[in-house]
Amino acid sequence: MTTLTRSADTLTRDALAVLQPGFTGTTAPDWLLRRLGEGLASVGLFGRNVADPAQLAALTRRLRSERDDILVAVDEEGGDVTRLEVRGGSSFPGNLALGAVDDTELTRDVARELGRRLAECGINLNWAPSADVNSNPGNPVIGVRSFGADPQLVARHTAAYVDGLQSAGVAACTKHFPGHGDTAVDSHHDLPRIAADLPTLQERELVPFRAAIAAGTKAVMSAHILLPALDGSHPATLSPAALHGLLRAPETDGGLGFDGLIVTDGMEMRAIAATYGIERGSVLAVAAGADAICVGGGLADEDTVLRLRDALVRAVRDGELSEKRLADAAARVRALARWTRSAGAAVGTAPAPGIGLAAARRALRRTTDGTFEPLTTAPYVAAFTPLANIAVGDDTPWGVAAELTRLLPGTETGTYTGELAATDGPRILVDGLLRAAADRRIIAVVRDVHRHPWMAEALDTLVTARPDTAVVEMGVPQAPPRGALHLATHGAARVCGQAAAESLTER
């Protein structure tokens, strides 16, 4: 084990302790191991760090050989946002599917099994669940990551998820406070603004966070969103009014009374980086009440860690950041690490390997006009593919083609994009699709068709030309059902595709 660096003063160690950086590769780089010896207390893992469970477990063991109380975090929501199964698709449906079933025991069981698998790989902090109320159907970044549009439904499933995950010894990090569901802008690209007044926030956005806190969530992640009702100048991540004045404040003073770890969303996201820069943004975040700085989705090198460490140290020495505030933030990180060690040692969760597929099957919603005949021969799968949002990424496969190929060898597939529709027009796109399909049955796979006019026009054209087309909606099923058969999976996880394929072929 690396000897702790005695020359690193307390201030520098505290500055390192509040960082949750990422790195590249499937083994820990030397620079990261050195910084763990100097005070770094957390590491964030992403899809690029994961090859398989055995490799991941070996990686986390190596990290703990340097620091046995390290927090190893990951963004594993299940559903569309997966890091454990980034190249194959998740074994668990996402939040919208669980909300559609609306069985809190099922949500608890799914989260417990997900937590068990994380713990088995050495991960003890999950940046999940999403507690956002998806009140804006056009939301480009939340969508199926939310349990739904009803605050009370979202609240009860958020609480169940927190309970299930933490019963497996993995700390939950409920996000994105104070609620990202009413945005029309993706904060990876720009700064979203929510115009809701404070009573609306209290009755809608904050309801699930109150439930999560009551359920004992160990961490809460802040959102890079501007809410003038709270703070007209700073996004929530950088706002004392949002973090210290609302999230931390006692309930008697109108706050949520949260006393756990406050984690920022990724500081390299443009909502922060493009306006403040990551160094200035990190200083402002800690000053506002954040305890841990998440960075590493895009910037994943030693230089980033050193820049942020030095910016925090300099801010304290210049009087811009209280040394006590930084020390308090570092203490909360270390306290959560102690909890994960004791909680993980006490857990013996029995495996439930089939729970994800069982949940996906229950979430499937089937609408038919009575003319659909189950598939018996290999079909043509037309995937109408929107641009993936950054949280999901474009490395994770989705759709039903792979599962249908397993059931009906010889299945063919084609991908049709908005870029192609913009170049050729939706009708010409469909003409090409029909030629490619020839006399095969057609399965049209869509994702959030209500948000993409080109997709809606192409789908209508296709269904008019081939009324026997089956449509599989793998996003938010906001648009009216189309086709001889319409399946709403409420998410694009691998198990959602498997459930849909089964439904397309079963008699």
Short mmCIF file of all heavy atoms in Angstrom, two decimals, residues 459-486:
data_model
loop_
_atom_site.label_atom_id
_atom_site.label_comp_id
_atom_site.label_asym_id
_atom_site.label_seq_id
_atom_site.Cartn_x
_atom_site.Cartn_y
_atom_site.Cartn_z
N LEU A 459 -42.98 7.51 -40.18
CA LEU A 459 -43.75 6.41 -39.64
C LEU A 459 -45.17 6.38 -40.22
O LEU A 459 -45.68 5.32 -40.60
CB LEU A 459 -43.80 6.50 -38.12
CG LEU A 459 -44.38 5.31 -37.37
CD1 LEU A 459 -43.63 4.03 -37.70
CD2 LEU A 459 -44.36 5.56 -35.86
N ASP A 460 -45.79 7.55 -40.31
CA ASP A 460 -47.13 7.61 -40.91
C ASP A 460 -47.11 7.15 -42.37
O ASP A 460 -48.00 6.43 -42.82
CB ASP A 460 -47.68 9.04 -40.82
CG ASP A 460 -48.12 9.41 -39.42
OD1 ASP A 460 -48.37 8.49 -38.62
OD2 ASP A 460 -48.23 10.62 -39.12
N THR A 461 -46.09 7.58 -43.09
CA THR A 461 -45.96 7.16 -44.50
C THR A 461 -45.79 5.66 -44.60
O THR A 461 -46.39 5.00 -45.46
CB THR A 461 -44.76 7.89 -45.14
OG1 THR A 461 -44.94 9.30 -45.02
CG2 THR A 461 -44.63 7.52 -46.61
N LEU A 462 -44.97 5.10 -43.72
CA LEU A 462 -44.73 3.66 -43.74
C LEU A 462 -46.00 2.87 -43.41
O LEU A 462 -46.34 1.91 -44.11
CB LEU A 462 -43.62 3.31 -42.74
CG LEU A 462 -43.36 1.83 -42.52
CD1 LEU A 462 -42.95 1.15 -43.82
CD2 LEU A 462 -42.28 1.64 -41.45
N VAL A 463 -46.70 3.29 -42.37
CA VAL A 463 -47.89 2.55 -41.96
C VAL A 463 -49.00 2.65 -43.01
O VAL A 463 -49.76 1.69 -43.22
CB VAL A 463 -48.37 3.06 -40.58
CG1 VAL A 463 -49.74 2.50 -40.23
CG2 VAL A 463 -47.37 2.69 -39.51
N THR A 464 -49.07 3.78 -43.71
CA THR A 464 -50.04 3.91 -44.81
C THR A 464 -49.71 2.95 -45.95
O THR A 464 -50.59 2.30 -46.52
CB THR A 464 -50.05 5.36 -45.34
OG1 THR A 464 -50.46 6.22 -44.27
CG2 THR A 464 -51.02 5.51 -46.49
N ALA A 465 -48.42 2.84 -46.26
CA ALA A 465 -48.00 1.95 -47.35
C ALA A 465 -48.08 0.48 -46.95
O ALA A 465 -48.41 -0.38 -47.77
CB ALA A 465 -46.58 2.30 -47.77
N ARG A 466 -47.76 0.20 -45.68
CA ARG A 466 -47.76 -1.19 -45.21
C ARG A 466 -48.54 -1.25 -43.88
O ARG A 466 -47.95 -1.18 -42.80
CB ARG A 466 -46.32 -1.67 -45.01
CG ARG A 466 -45.56 -1.88 -46.32
CD ARG A 466 -45.95 -3.19 -47.01
NE ARG A 466 -45.64 -4.33 -46.19
CZ ARG A 466 -44.48 -5.00 -46.25
NH1 ARG A 466 -43.53 -4.62 -47.10
NH2 ARG A 466 -44.27 -6.04 -45.48
N PRO A 467 -49.87 -1.36 -43.95
CA PRO A 467 -50.69 -1.34 -42.73
C PRO A 467 -50.38 -2.47 -41.76
O PRO A 467 -50.75 -2.38 -40.58
CB PRO A 467 -52.12 -1.46 -43.28
CG PRO A 467 -52.03 -0.99 -44.69
CD PRO A 467 -50.68 -1.41 -45.17
N ASP A 468 -49.72 -3.54 -42.22
CA ASP A 468 -49.40 -4.65 -41.32
C ASP A 468 -48.14 -4.39 -40.51
O ASP A 468 -47.69 -5.26 -39.74
CB ASP A 468 -49.27 -5.95 -42.11
CG ASP A 468 -48.12 -5.91 -43.10
OD1 ASP A 468 -47.67 -4.81 -43.48
OD2 ASP A 468 -47.66 -7.00 -43.52
N THR A 469 -47.55 -3.21 -40.65
CA THR A 469 -46.34 -2.86 -39.91
C THR A 469 -46.60 -2.90 -38.40
O THR A 469 -47.62 -2.40 -37.92
CB THR A 469 -45.84 -1.46 -40.31
OG1 THR A 469 -45.46 -1.48 -41.68
CG2 THR A 469 -44.66 -1.03 -39.47
N ALA A 470 -45.66 -3.48 -37.65
CA ALA A 470 -45.69 -3.41 -36.20
C ALA A 470 -44.72 -2.31 -35.76
O ALA A 470 -43.64 -2.15 -36.34
CB ALA A 470 -45.28 -4.74 -35.58
N VAL A 471 -45.13 -1.53 -34.77
CA VAL A 471 -44.33 -0.41 -34.28
C VAL A 471 -43.92 -0.68 -32.84
O VAL A 471 -44.77 -1.03 -32.00
CB VAL A 471 -45.12 0.92 -34.38
CG1 VAL A 471 -44.29 2.07 -33.81
CG2 VAL A 471 -45.52 1.19 -35.82
N VAL A 472 -42.64 -0.52 -32.55
CA VAL A 472 -42.13 -0.66 -31.20
C VAL A 472 -41.57 0.69 -30.76
O VAL A 472 -40.58 1.16 -31.30
CB VAL A 472 -41.03 -1.74 -31.11
CG1 VAL A 472 -40.56 -1.90 -29.67
CG2 VAL A 472 -41.54 -3.07 -31.67
N GLU A 473 -42.25 1.33 -29.81
CA GLU A 473 -41.81 2.61 -29.26
C GLU A 473 -40.96 2.32 -28.02
O GLU A 473 -41.46 1.79 -27.02
CB GLU A 473 -43.02 3.48 -28.90
CG GLU A 473 -42.72 4.71 -28.05
CD GLU A 473 -41.79 5.73 -28.70
OE1 GLU A 473 -42.29 6.60 -29.43
OE2 GLU A 473 -40.56 5.63 -28.45
N MET A 474 -39.67 2.69 -28.07
CA MET A 474 -38.76 2.40 -26.98
C MET A 474 -38.38 3.64 -26.19
O MET A 474 -37.46 3.60 -25.36
CB MET A 474 -37.51 1.68 -27.51
CG MET A 474 -37.85 0.41 -28.28
SD MET A 474 -36.46 -0.71 -28.56
CE MET A 474 -36.35 -1.54 -26.96
N GLY A 475 -39.08 4.74 -26.44
CA GLY A 475 -38.90 5.94 -25.64
C GLY A 475 -40.14 6.21 -24.81
O GLY A 475 -40.83 5.29 -24.37
N VAL A 476 -40.44 7.49 -24.61
CA VAL A 476 -41.65 7.88 -23.91
C VAL A 476 -42.83 7.72 -24.87
O VAL A 476 -42.83 8.32 -25.95
CB VAL A 476 -41.57 9.34 -23.42
CG1 VAL A 476 -42.86 9.76 -22.72
CG2 VAL A 476 -40.37 9.52 -22.48
N PRO A 477 -43.83 6.91 -24.55
CA PRO A 477 -44.95 6.67 -25.48
C PRO A 477 -45.99 7.79 -25.44
O PRO A 477 -47.13 7.59 -25.04
CB PRO A 477 -45.52 5.34 -24.99
CG PRO A 477 -45.25 5.34 -23.52
CD PRO A 477 -43.94 6.07 -23.34
N GLN A 478 -45.58 8.96 -25.87
CA GLN A 478 -46.43 10.15 -25.82
C GLN A 478 -47.34 10.25 -27.05
O GLN A 478 -48.46 10.74 -26.96
CB GLN A 478 -45.56 11.40 -25.73
CG GLN A 478 -46.30 12.70 -25.47
CD GLN A 478 -46.75 12.83 -24.03
OE1 GLN A 478 -46.22 12.15 -23.14
NE2 GLN A 478 -47.73 13.69 -23.78
N ALA A 479 -46.86 9.79 -28.20
CA ALA A 479 -47.63 9.87 -29.45
C ALA A 479 -48.69 8.77 -29.47
O ALA A 479 -48.54 7.72 -28.83
CB ALA A 479 -46.70 9.73 -30.65
N PRO A 480 -49.79 8.97 -30.21
CA PRO A 480 -50.82 7.93 -30.33
C PRO A 480 -50.24 6.67 -30.95
O PRO A 480 -49.36 6.73 -31.80
CB PRO A 480 -51.87 8.57 -31.25
CG PRO A 480 -51.62 10.04 -31.18
CD PRO A 480 -50.15 10.20 -30.96
N PRO A 481 -50.74 5.49 -30.55
CA PRO A 481 -50.26 4.23 -31.13
C PRO A 481 -50.53 4.19 -32.64
O PRO A 481 -51.55 4.66 -33.12
CB PRO A 481 -51.08 3.16 -30.41
CG PRO A 481 -51.50 3.80 -29.12
CD PRO A 481 -51.70 5.26 -29.45
N ARG A 482 -49.60 3.62 -33.38
CA ARG A 482 -49.71 3.42 -34.83
C ARG A 482 -49.41 1.98 -35.15
O ARG A 482 -48.70 1.30 -34.40
CB ARG A 482 -48.71 4.31 -35.58
CG ARG A 482 -48.89 5.82 -35.43
CD ARG A 482 -47.63 6.49 -35.97
NE ARG A 482 -47.72 7.91 -36.19
CZ ARG A 482 -47.49 8.83 -35.26
NH1 ARG A 482 -47.20 8.46 -34.02
NH2 ARG A 482 -47.55 10.12 -35.56
N GLY A 483 -49.90 1.50 -36.28
CA GLY A 483 -49.55 0.17 -36.78
C GLY A 483 -50.56 -0.89 -36.40
O GLY A 483 -51.44 -0.69 -35.56
N ALA A 484 -50.41 -2.05 -37.06
CA ALA A 484 -51.28 -3.17 -36.75
C ALA A 484 -51.06 -3.65 -35.32
O ALA A 484 -51.98 -4.14 -34.66
CB ALA A 484 -51.01 -4.31 -37.73
N LEU A 485 -49.83 -3.49 -34.84
CA LEU A 485 -49.48 -3.75 -33.44
C LEU A 485 -48.57 -2.64 -32.98
O LEU A 485 -47.63 -2.26 -33.69
CB LEU A 485 -48.78 -5.10 -33.30
CG LEU A 485 -48.21 -5.41 -31.91
CD1 LEU A 485 -49.34 -5.63 -30.92
CD2 LEU A 485 -47.29 -6.62 -31.96
N HIS A 486 -48.84 -2.09 -31.80
CA HIS A 486 -47.99 -1.07 -31.22
C HIS A 486 -47.55 -1.55 -29.85
O HIS A 486 -48.37 -1.89 -29.00
CB HIS A 486 -48.74 0.27 -31.09
CG HIS A 486 -47.89 1.39 -30.59
ND1 HIS A 486 -47.66 1.62 -29.25
CD2 HIS A 486 -47.21 2.37 -31.25
CE1 HIS A 486 -46.90 2.69 -29.11
NE2 HIS A 486 -46.60 3.16 -30.31
#
